[in-house]
Amino acid sequence: MLRIIFLGWVLFFTNVLAAQVEITGTVTDEESNEKLIGASIIVKGTAKGTITNIDGEFAITLDSLPQIFIISYGYPNIECIIREEGHYDIKIRSNSLIFSPVLVIGTIGTWQKLQEVAPNLTRIKAEDLQLDERSNIQATLNRVPGVFMHSGALNTNRITIRGIGNRNLFGTAKIKAYFDEIPLTNGVGETQLEDIDLNSIHEVSMLKGPSSSLYGAGLGGVLHLNTPTEYLEQKSLSVGSTWGSYGLAKYDTGLQWMDFNKHIQVQYNRLHSDGYRDNNEYDRQNLFFTSKFRFGKQQVSALVQHIDLKAFIPSSLNREDYENAPQKAAFTWGQVQGFEDYQRTLVGLSYGIDFSSKFKNTTSIYTSLFDSYESRPFNILNENSNALGGRTLFSWESVIKYYTRLQLQLGAELYQENYDWQTYITNEGVQGGILSDNTEQRQTQNIFTQAKLEYKKWEANIGLSYNAVQYDYTDKLGQNATDTYTFEPTFSPYFSIQYNTSKQQVYGIVSHGFSPPTLEETLTPDGAINPDIQPEKGWNFELGLRGRNQASTLTYQLSLYSMHIKDLLVARRTDFDQFVGINAGKTLHNGLEAQVAYAWRTNNNWDIQTFLNYAYADYSFKSFIDAENDYSGNALTGTAPHTLGAGWRWEYDKGFYGNINYQFVDAMPLRDDNSISSESYHLANTKLGYRFSLPKFKIKVDVFGGINNLFDMNYASMLLINAGSFGGRAPRYYYPGLPRNYYGGLRVEYLF
């Protein structure tokens, strides 16, 4: 069926190439009339481009007309439509446009403006990823309003977006993630980001809520980790080390080889930490390789990532231990010296082709392997997973009239995973007899389409995705008892409209999303598939505003949203550290997110930026009945109603730089009955550094150091909601955050 659909699109959209035409022109500054040397001219949606010479002139050959040029020169980028062969005089100024300077990798491998992907997309730039100590991405994500990453340890994390995913107990779920065009999310919607080294990431693009049909219909949103996309002339070898409190030691080695037709990057990283708590030692090795080659109208890219990790697990603490002995491990986990030891490999290949200037396709195939052994107080878990998948996207666009542009996209994503797991008796950490032996085949299918129409200052997007999920479960100890469950296919529509001016953008979104149950939610306590479980589904309604002042020194953003979730998936505790999933009701997520930033340059060559972020979350159970308990009207568990972030960063021309960041997190309800809440807390982190070059030796050096939790606050960096109290034990809600801690490091880069 998919082949027929794609063939139909190819036949419908393929255009006969016209005779080549040559375009010449000059690029000048509108105010000074100065010829601009080295201005970049890119043919939009392609890899074709050129730069201006010493006289500000350029020449480029095109296959067809009309085309759109993207011109950049340190100013905000501008776009101009080229309709006929000839010479063009292009004038640009420092305040040309507001949004077009922000370019991201849109869906898969296609350059698009920020608002072309979705009007509420958030972009975390490379310099934002450099603000912190870089052992994980928590501090970076927590600066984004509406996003919160709990971190109980380097290997125990949970990311939530607008309250979605906060009920997943020990990891991230209901949020889709991609590394370039390769999915990181498994067949039941779970994602691991905490073990990816930040040196492998160039920037992060983020969609909050089900905000685009092109990524399927993840209810929480999408995180897109991007590697560098520029084709520049640069070859370098780098080494770096970071040392810090509690035995932190990180070593990095990287090779980067780029020119105008290829981009090769190899990274090896090793991270060790003794940990702040007992039974908290952590060791991780990352090997990362990515390459991009382009051949005329074609591009081939590859991505390989291998992670080898062993981490001991201190788990959560009860109130008394959290306040008086936060360095302790939970008694049961410390007694068996619980740990996880796993290897994870991801391999992906991608091929892109421009059939014409209007019609193109990118197709990716990928595979992943996962092998894990986890020693727990109640049993030992052995896991093996292998997955195979593919994704393809066809895109066609055309300028219909001078002010009208139409873009159509159609694609599909297929994923199949074989997941095997066994549990064994534990004798104080020593493996005993087998308790269970299971296999689950997971299959997901996603077909999506989206159309965009631009007319003068207006832009509208409409899309639809079809989502199908099937689980096949086999209990190998139960005479190979097999159970199959197919969730009803879900159709998720998407619509957005926006109005753009030179200084503002106003948008509205209506979208639908769904999230399948995780493995723990799918199975009953005796190991069978729960036939009554259903995916969570919901609608998102959003209004937003972006803007800037005339000089682009002040930028601001405001969004108001309301998400209506039904068939809420709830993990009901059945025994000590064991759970079963149920659909227990509906939740309402009303919220506000605001950002403002100001940047200026002083007369003595200091670049200074300040920012302020705020999120208000009015999340509640619209209707929620769990057994005999009715929690309707209560505040949603595990979500802070108020979060605030602020920061100040600076950089001096002579190489000195630094930043200080502040975060406030409000109290969160810990139980569905709202009988107990965590305490609010304040955090401040700071970093200082000095960069310098040794041109004679072709060497760049970066020396840095920092302090986390500057004011030594006591706080819980992760919370376990609805913690049980079996056998007279006090509930263990709290993962203690690190007290004040220090780090310093050195990075040396050799250019050749």
Side-chain angles (χ1 to χ4, degrees):
M1 182 65 182
L2 286 178
R3 293 180 180 177
I4 296 174
I5 294 174
F6 291 147
L7 179 60
W9 272 68
V10 171
L11 294 175
F12 181 75
F13 286 119
T14 302
N15 296 283
V16 178
L17 298 180
Q20 291 187 330
V21 293
E22 185 176 29
I23 303 298
T24 61
T26 58
V27 180
T28 59
D29 184 287
E30 185 178 57
E31 296 179 355
S32 66
N33 209 35
E34 177 186 0
K35 306 292 186 182
L36 298 180
I37 304 170
S40 169
I41 296 96
I42 300 293
V43 181
K44 186 173 184 177
T46 76
K48 180 175 291 188
T50 187
I51 59 174
T52 55
N53 61 20
I54 58 174
D55 297 316
E57 299 172 341
F58 69 91
I60 188 169
T61 301
L62 303 178
D63 295 324
S64 63
L65 293 173
Q67 295 287 351
I68 298 175
F69 280 5
I70 300 173
I71 297 98
S72 59
Y73 185 76
Y75 302 157
N77 296 345
I78 68 168
E79 295 185 1
C80 61
I81 299 175
I82 306 299
R83 296 190 170 278
E84 57 188 25
E85 187 173 10
H87 183 88
Y88 288 76
D89 293 316
I90 301 171
K91 297 181 182 294
I92 63 177
R93 54 182 177 177
S94 59
N95 59 353
S96 300
L97 289 177
I98 172 173
F99 300 114
S100 53
V102 184
L103 292 174
V104 298
I105 289 295
T107 48
I108 301 298
T110 303
W111 278 103
Q112 293 182 301
K113 285 192 297 184
L114 181 149
Q115 68 265 33
E116 289 180 336
V117 182
N120 66 342
L121 185 142
T122 297
R123 178 179 176 231
I124 301 173
K125 298 178 289 185
E127 53 265 34
D128 298 321
L129 294 168
Q130 302 287 338
L131 295 178
D132 309 295
E133 176 263 311
R134 292 173 64 81
S135 62
N136 69 22
I137 201 171
Q138 180 196 16
T140 302
L141 292 182
N142 285 349
R143 280 192 288 270
V144 179
V147 179
F148 192 78
M149 181 173 179
H150 297 258
S151 183
L154 288 173
N155 59 314
T156 306
N157 297 271
R158 178 172 66 249
I159 300 172
T160 68
I161 298 179
R162 294 179 173 175
I164 303 299
N166 65 345
R167 301 190 70 83
N168 200 52
L169 298 175
F170 303 113
T172 297
K174 304 176 183 20
I175 296 168
K176 296 193 71 174
Y178 293 82
F179 210 140
D180 281 347
E181 59 267 39
I182 309 303
L184 295 171
T185 304
N186 68 15
V188 290
E190 296 174 325
T191 302
Q192 283 184 279
L193 295 182
E194 60 269 17
D195 57 6
I196 296 175
D197 193 87
L198 292 187
N199 287 317
S200 306
I201 304 171
H202 180 65
E203 66 179 32
V204 180
S205 303
M206 181 185 307
L207 296 173
K208 303 174 188 177
S211 298
S212 175
S213 297
L214 302 179
Y215 295 99
L219 197 56
V222 178
L223 291 173
H224 199 148
L225 313 183
N226 300 318
T227 57
T229 57
E230 302 90 346
Y231 285 93
L232 305 173
E233 189 71 37
Q234 181 176 325
K235 303 175 182 67
S236 65
L237 176 67
S238 62
V239 293
S241 297
T242 303
W243 304 274
S245 303
Y246 310 112
L248 176 70
K250 187 173 186 291
Y251 304 97
D252 307 302
T253 303
L255 172 66
Q256 188 165 258
W257 191 294
M258 292 193 301
D259 60 29
F260 294 107
N261 292 305
K262 65 177 176 290
H263 184 168
I264 300 172
Q265 180 183 5
V266 182
Q267 294 275 349
Y268 172 75
N269 317 99
R270 185 164 190 164
L271 175 62
H272 171 82
S273 174
D274 294 334
Y276 165 60
R277 300 174 59 194
D278 297 336
N279 203 56
N280 199 189
E281 189 174 351
Y282 180 93
D283 285 284
R284 187 188 77 209
Q285 296 183 75
N286 293 65
L287 180 62
F288 178 79
F289 167 83
T290 183
S291 65
K292 298 180 175 73
F293 297 90
R294 63 183 183 187
F295 311 93
K297 298 179 181 180
Q298 303 173 72
Q299 176 174 290
V300 178
S301 60
L303 184 148
V304 179
Q305 177 182 251
H306 178 74
I307 298 168
D308 190 342
L309 179 147
K310 183 174 182 180
F312 288 84
I313 303 173
S315 197
S316 54
L317 295 177
N318 60 40
R319 179 78 183 198
E320 181 179 354
D321 289 338
Y322 164 68
E323 291 181 341
N324 301 308
Q327 289 182 280
K328 289 177 58 175
F331 174 75
T332 52
W333 286 86
Q335 187 179 43
V336 301
Q337 295 185 325
F339 68 92
E340 61 176 334
D341 187 348
Y342 68 76
Q343 295 79 44
R344 188 156 66 97
T345 303
L346 177 68
V347 179
L349 295 172
S350 179
Y351 173 72
I353 182 171
D354 295 346
F355 298 110
S356 72
S357 60
K358 299 179 180 180
F359 181 49
K360 59 196 66 179
N361 169 258
T362 301
T363 298
S364 305
I365 58 173
Y366 45 88
T367 185
S368 63
L369 304 171
F370 180 70
D371 186 4
S372 173
Y373 183 91
E374 183 175 352
S375 177
R376 310 184 290 189
F378 44 91
N379 63 29
I380 289 174
L381 173 65
N382 187 68
E383 300 173 282
N384 289 276
S385 168
N386 58 82
L388 181 66
R391 178 181 171 99
T392 189
L393 177 69
F394 289 87
S395 180
W396 175 86
E397 76 170 63
S398 178
V399 177
I400 301 173
K401 292 184 179 180
Y402 184 74
Y403 290 114
T404 305
R405 185 164 69 104
L406 176 66
Q407 182 184 69
L408 302 175
Q409 294 178 294
L410 174 72
E413 186 174 314
L414 308 175
Y415 183 90
Q416 180 165 325
E417 179 183 15
N418 181 75
Y419 175 65
D420 296 316
W421 77 100
Q422 301 83 36
T423 58
Y424 298 88
I425 295 171
T426 179
N427 299 306
E428 296 185 352
V430 178
Q431 181 175 315
I434 191 167
L435 294 170
S436 66
D437 188 1
N438 312 275
T439 295
E440 189 171 70
Q441 299 281 344
R442 306 161 173 172
Q443 300 178 43
T444 63
Q445 301 174 27
N446 172 224
I447 303 173
F448 49 86
T449 184
Q450 188 159 310
K452 180 181 64 175
L453 180 66
E454 294 181 14
Y455 177 71
K456 294 186 178 180
K457 297 181 179 182
W458 290 92
E459 182 176 317
N461 289 269
I462 185 169
L464 181 69
S465 65
Y466 165 86
N467 309 274
V469 179
Q470 177 177 309
Y471 299 147
D472 296 307
Y473 169 72
T474 301
D475 180 358
K476 296 180 181 179
L477 292 185
Q479 290 76 47
N480 286 319
T482 301
D483 199 358
T484 298
Y485 189 71
T486 302
F487 300 112
E488 292 184 6
T490 301
F491 289 89
S492 292
Y494 167 80
F495 175 76
S496 70
I497 189 167
Q498 60 197 58
Y499 179 78
N500 303 310
T501 70
S502 62
K503 300 182 183 65
Q504 285 188 331
Q505 177 194 80
V506 181
Y507 67 86
I509 296 174
V510 178
S511 57
H512 180 270
F514 94 111
S515 291
T518 64
L519 173 67
E520 292 79 6
E521 293 166 335
T522 304
L523 299 180
T524 62
D526 58 2
I529 286 182
N530 180 358
D532 299 321
I533 202 76
Q534 291 292 327
E536 287 184 351
K537 304 179 185 71
W539 284 92
N540 177 53
F541 305 90
E542 182 170 351
L543 294 174
L545 168 70
R546 301 173 186 262
R548 67 166 177 90
N549 65 354
Q550 184 71 19
S552 296
T553 54
L554 176 70
T555 59
Y556 54 88
Q557 181 174 337
L558 176 68
S559 59
L560 299 168
Y561 62 90
S562 180
M563 295 182 66
H564 302 249
I565 312 300
K566 70 174 185 176
D567 293 326
L568 176 70
L569 288 166
V570 174
R572 178 185 291 167
R573 187 182 293 268
T574 60
D575 201 349
F576 176 64
D577 279 354
Q578 297 186 38
F579 308 87
V580 63
I582 59 171
N583 294 107
K586 302 176 182 179
T587 57
L588 180 62
H589 302 236
N590 294 326
L592 175 150
E593 296 163 0
Q595 298 174 268
V596 62
Y598 186 73
W600 72 96
R601 184 174 179 85
T602 66
N603 293 330
N604 53 355
N605 299 325
W606 285 90
D607 289 314
I608 300 174
Q609 299 179 50
T610 61
F611 71 89
L612 179 67
N613 300 330
Y614 171 73
Y616 170 65
D618 181 15
Y619 304 160
S620 62
F621 295 112
K622 189 174 180 180
S623 64
F624 179 19
I625 299 175
D626 184 3
E628 69 279 3
N629 301 308
D630 187 351
Y631 302 124
S632 302
N634 287 358
L636 184 64
T637 323
T639 301
H642 302 277
T643 56
L644 178 72
W648 180 38
R649 66 181 77 168
W650 60 90
E651 186 167 357
Y652 184 44
D653 278 355
K654 297 188 181 296
F656 294 100
Y657 67 92
N659 71 80
I660 184 166
N661 289 282
Y662 165 81
Q663 180 187 28
F664 166 75
V665 179
D666 205 356
M668 305 183 195
L670 296 179
R671 302 196 67 83
D672 292 336
D673 62 9
N674 291 180
S675 60
I676 184 172
S677 296
S678 65
E679 287 79 27
S680 62
Y681 61 87
H682 307 259
L683 286 180
N685 302 327
T686 187
K687 180 180 180 180
L688 299 173
Y690 176 59
R691 301 187 186 101
F692 61 93
S693 299
L694 302 173
K696 182 178 179 180
F697 301 100
K698 300 181 179 179
I699 288 176
K700 294 181 179 180
V701 181
D702 184 6
V703 183
F704 56 87
I707 307 173
N708 295 323
N709 195 0
L710 187 62
F711 303 114
D712 201 22
M713 298 290 296
N714 296 321
Y715 71 103
S717 57
M718 184 170 176
L719 297 165
L720 184 63
I721 65 172
N722 296 317
S725 55
F726 293 97
R729 304 180 185 93
R732 295 190 288 110
Y733 298 107
Y734 307 98
Y735 287 84
L738 292 179
R740 183 188 297 121
N741 59 95
Y742 308 85
Y743 65 91
L746 172 70
R747 184 178 185 273
V748 179
E749 182 178 16
Y750 173 69
L751 306 175
F752 57 91

